[in-house]
Amino acid sequence: MKKSGSARDPLWYKDAVIYEIHVKAFFDANNDGIGDFPGLLQKLDYLEALGVTCLWLLPFFPSPLRDDGYDISDYLSIHPSYGTMEDFKTFLNAAHGRGMQVMVELVVNHTSDQHPWFQAARTAAPGSKERDFYVWSDTDRKYEGARIIFTDTEKSNWTWDPIAKAYYWHRFFSHQPDLNYDNPAVLEEVLKIMRYWLDMGVDGLRLDAIPYLVEREGTNCENLPDTHVVLKNIRAAMDENYEGRMILAEANQWPSDVRPYFGDGDECHLAFHFPLMPRMFMALRLEDRQPIVDIMRHTPEIPENCQWGLFLRNHDELTLEMVNEEERDYMYLAYSSDPRMRINVGIRRRLAPLMENNSRRIELLNSLLLSFPGTPIIYYGDEIGMGDNIHLGDRNGVRTPMQWSGDRNAGFSRAAPEMLYSPVISDPVYGYGAVNVESQDGEASSPLNWMRNMVALRKLFRVFGRGVMEFLDPGNRKILAYLRRGEGETVLCVANLSRFAQPVELNLQAYQGMRPVEMLGYVEFPVIGSQPYSLSLGPYGFFWFELQKAREQIEAQ
Ligand code: GLC
Ligand code: CA
């Protein structure tokens, strides 16, 4: 039976606040040490109270788990550790019942080498349809223009398969062979997988690693025209049968290269803004708005029905692929004092430790995340200021169990601690004794309640998800000031990137006679006059003002 999507407004993703979770990390209902769908179901109250509107689930499919589930061996089932298909459907319907949308992963670039397609391909005759599900070669000297992405572990994008007696192509780990989109049967299978999840009522799909779908000699094998043909086909198949669904593109590229992934509004609805993310961290450390203003100026317009996906941290490293060499050196220096904090081309740390646990800095960055043009994405645990564990391998240090309470295993599981899929964070600063949901829940000024407040506030003003952005240009470059306009609302945001108090004078000529009302406390500020508008901000302080018609103005009407 085909179920419809749960959102009423076809543009729902523009107003969404997305929360990124791995089911294994959230809550363990059967006490085997691994989070599961029945556990996630139990925590819907928490998510509803947080105010997030869309749950993005990291891969939960059968997998050898050598890339945390991005190495899929069966696209149409649930990994037994996380529960059954019935458990998933129960969770999905319950989330929908609370007005939350659910987004799952569609990993289209590669499979696990354990997938039956690969097992069949390596024994099938060269040139057969089965063999051609993947990209084979007799030499490892093809497509030499393609860079290596996992620079710490991979030496080549080709690996020799002794069974097939040929090399196969892979942009990521060598156990993740790339699918071959020059074989039309591959796209057919991908569409079947997509329909399977959409039929079930899933609202959104994150398309993983899409710049690399197609390879062509003499190119860098990224963002190629034929890759866009594939994506347009996927979107058309979605539009043909499903209303109110959404595709989010993971394309870690420069803005001008990401722009085509929106097509003419006929490819992806959302795309992550990868270059913006490191520049928010950089602007903060430099105490200078320039990196942010610069990248926004280089961000092209996108079609009406499209939206940027904004994030500070996620399940991967803080990638530094989209900055220049000088900026990269600076970021490494500023944010990874210990070399163990680095992986591939990036920094594997969570938000709170990156901010040295300074709540004002954390709040400032979150205020930008929630007020910049786009849909904000919060990584689980960051709302309570969870830490990371740089002694765990790969990116596992930022994937530790959610910290629910000060009880054994952070209240995540009642299993023996040795059985947990990952140790909990237990250091004195970020450990579950100090940082957990239970203690923050009742404390009015906790990070959790701050986040609940801000999310609720953002949702009251549609302009954040839908309006345009306009930078002001005050002389003091430590101040980032911008207007959000649209939907009959005008919001002025002012942020102090400095660790010291700062004055600023804003040119608000166009808004003369209007009254800024501070949105958190509903505090009326002086009416904007003919002179520059003066404000003082405390260290890392920020203001959100709604510009309202002043009383005098209303009476004169
Ligand atoms: C995406 C995922 C990352 C994964 C990679 C390869 O970039 O975000 O976690 O390792 O794809 O599948
Ligand atoms: Ca479990």
Side-chain angles (χ1 to χ4, degrees):
M1 194 189 69
K2 184 175 144 188
K3 296 191 73 174
S4 54
S6 66
R8 275 191 217 110
D9 182 345
L11 296 179
W12 61 272
Y13 47 86
K14 289 199 167 200
D15 307 312
V17 177
I18 300 178
Y19 189 76
E20 176 188 358
I21 340 174
H22 201 306
V23 59
K24 79 169 181 196
F26 216 53
F27 187 68
D28 174 18
N30 68 350
N31 298 318
D32 64 354
I34 306 168
D36 40 51
F37 281 106
L40 186 52
L41 182 70
Q42 287 182 39
K43 294 300 181 185
L44 283 177
D45 281 343
Y46 171 78
L47 297 168
E48 199 178 354
L50 181 56
V52 295
T53 67
C54 174
L55 307 178
W56 158 20
L57 303 180
L58 291 165
F60 51 73
F61 317 100
S63 156
L65 300 180
R66 296 176 69 192
D67 183 17
D68 208 11
Y70 281 99
D71 49 331
I72 298 174
S73 55
D74 174 2
Y75 285 84
L76 306 179
S77 310
I78 307 286
H79 192 293
S81 292
Y82 310 144
T84 63
M85 190 57 85
E86 275 320 300
D87 293 333
F88 174 76
K89 288 183 183 167
T90 305
F91 153 77
L92 180 65
N93 293 335
H96 284 169
R98 289 166 188 252
M100 283 186 243
Q101 278 67 58
V102 174
M103 173 165 74
V104 306
E105 295 271 349
L106 191 58
V107 182
V108 289
N109 180 67
H110 48 268
T111 70
S112 161
D113 60 6
Q114 300 306 304
H115 195 289
W117 296 338
F118 190 73
Q119 293 305 323
R122 64 206 306 206
T123 50
S128 64
K129 180 182 138 201
E130 287 74 23
R131 170 76 74 130
D132 281 351
F133 257 62
Y134 296 87
V135 181
W136 299 95
S137 165
D138 294 334
T139 122
D140 58 358
R141 306 306 304 267
K142 272 173 85 176
Y143 309 139
E144 292 192 307
R147 72 191 162 116
I148 290 168
I149 297 169
F150 284 169
T151 48
D152 285 3
T153 43
E154 303 303 321
K155 292 283 159 278
S156 165
N157 288 322
W158 291 108
T159 290
W160 175 254
D161 183 48
I163 296 174
K165 300 200 168 46
Y167 292 95
Y168 62 90
W169 179 251
H170 56 87
R171 290 308 300 273
F172 294 94
F173 288 122
S174 59
H175 56 75
Q176 285 168 320
D178 275 32
L179 288 163
N180 173 20
Y181 281 88
D182 289 334
N183 176 355
V186 167
L187 180 59
E188 276 317 307
E189 289 299 325
V190 165
L191 294 181
K192 274 189 216 159
I193 297 164
M194 176 180 89
R195 292 188 186 111
Y196 179 80
W197 294 102
L198 293 180
D199 283 345
M200 217 180 287
V202 158
D203 305 280
L205 301 169
R206 173 185 178 273
L207 289 197
D208 182 64
I210 52 172
Y212 324 113
L213 299 187
V214 167
E215 308 61 45
R216 296 288 178 259
E217 202 56 78
T219 74
N220 67 357
C221 298
E222 302 191 4
N223 315 316
L224 299 182
D226 285 334
T227 287
H228 288 286
V229 173
V230 172
L231 293 168
K232 282 194 204 299
N233 275 313
I234 292 178
R235 172 64 180 270
M238 176 184 255
D239 286 352
E240 196 179 299
N241 277 302
Y242 305 93
E243 269 169 44
R245 317 299 176 98
M246 165 271 265
I247 296 175
L248 165 59
E250 191 216 18
N252 185 357
Q253 301 285 334
W254 293 101
S256 53
D257 291 325
V258 177
R259 175 61 189 81
Y261 289 96
F262 294 114
D264 298 317
D266 59 355
E267 260 181 53
C268 302
H269 305 78
L270 264 88
F272 292 111
H273 202 318
F274 274 100
L276 172 63
M277 185 272 297
R279 287 176 176 79
M280 292 165 79
F281 289 91
M282 204 153 71
L284 186 70
R285 188 55 73 100
L286 286 168
E287 303 197 355
D288 186 340
R289 66 172 184 253
Q290 210 49 41
I292 293 176
V293 174
D294 243 32
I295 200 67
M296 290 300 217
R297 292 238 160 91
H298 288 103
T299 299
E301 292 291 319
I302 58 178
E304 214 24 57
N305 58 343
C306 295
Q307 178 90 320
W308 291 105
L310 308 178
F311 65 104
L312 295 169
R313 292 305 322 114
N314 62 18
H315 64 291
D316 288 326
E317 70 277 20
L318 191 171
T319 156
L320 297 175
E321 284 160 312
M322 292 304 125
V323 296
N324 67 32
E325 248 168 72
E326 212 178 306
E327 295 167 326
R328 194 171 304 140
D329 288 346
Y330 180 77
M331 284 292 290
Y332 277 135
L333 191 75
Y335 287 112
S336 60
S337 51
D338 185 327
R340 279 173 299 194
M341 295 168 177
R342 299 174 198 171
I343 186 172
N344 298 322
V345 189
I347 302 171
R348 48 185 196 137
R349 300 181 77 193
R350 268 189 182 266
L351 181 62
L354 282 165
M355 296 295 101
E356 294 169 322
N357 215 21
N358 180 321
S359 60
R360 284 180 303 194
R361 273 191 233 164
I362 296 172
E363 290 173 5
L364 181 66
L365 279 191
N366 275 316
S367 84
L368 303 183
L369 174 72
L370 293 170
S371 64
F372 276 1
T375 293
I377 302 160
I378 300 168
Y379 185 48
Y380 87 91
D382 281 351
E383 73 277 20
I384 56 171
M386 262 173 66
D388 49 43
N389 180 350
I390 58 169
H391 304 284
L392 299 177
D394 200 347
R395 291 145 290 173
N396 297 328
V398 302
R399 300 170 177 179
T400 60
M402 180 68 179
Q403 294 171 194
W404 293 104
S405 72
D407 295 348
R408 172 160 55 102
N409 301 329
F412 159 76
S413 168
R414 296 191 44 76
E418 303 76 33
M419 287 169 67
L420 300 190
Y421 77 87
S422 152
V424 293
I425 304 281
S426 55
D427 68 71
V429 177
Y430 300 102
Y432 60 93
V435 175
N436 68 68
V437 170
E438 190 179 72
S439 65
Q440 291 192 20
D441 185 41
E443 192 202 324
S445 60
S446 66
L448 176 59
N449 279 314
W450 183 89
M451 188 59 106
R452 286 172 175 161
N453 244 323
M454 292 296 286
V455 168
L457 187 57
R458 174 188 160 101
K459 290 197 297 184
L460 286 176
F461 290 82
R462 279 176 49 114
V463 66
F464 286 128
R466 308 244 180 172
V468 295
M469 180 193 223
E470 198 182 296
F471 285 108
L472 300 178
D473 192 26
N476 184 350
R477 281 190 19 180
K478 296 183 190 307
I479 301 289
L480 175 69
Y482 47 101
L483 291 155
R484 299 297 318 276
R485 282 191 294 110
E487 306 285 314
E489 297 163 352
T490 304
V491 168
L492 166 66
C493 302
V494 191
N496 177 9
L497 301 168
S498 161
R499 63 198 188 285
F500 301 118
Q502 296 292 329
V504 67
E505 294 205 324
L506 300 173
N507 176 358
L508 293 173
Q509 275 292 296
Y511 299 92
Q512 205 174 321
M514 299 199 71
R515 183 187 290 286
V517 178
E518 196 283 323
M519 289 158 58
L520 275 166
Y522 214 74
V523 178
E524 296 195 348
F525 270 54
V527 171
I528 299 165
S530 56
Q531 297 301 307
Y533 198 79
S534 296
L535 289 169
S536 313
L537 291 98
Y540 302 121
F542 74 91
F543 287 125
W544 286 1
F545 295 110
E546 187 187 12
L547 300 190
Q548 294 185 354
K549 282 190 176 159
R551 217 165 296 124
E552 309 76 64
Q553 251 184 333
I554 296 167
E555 276 157 17
Q557 276 175 2

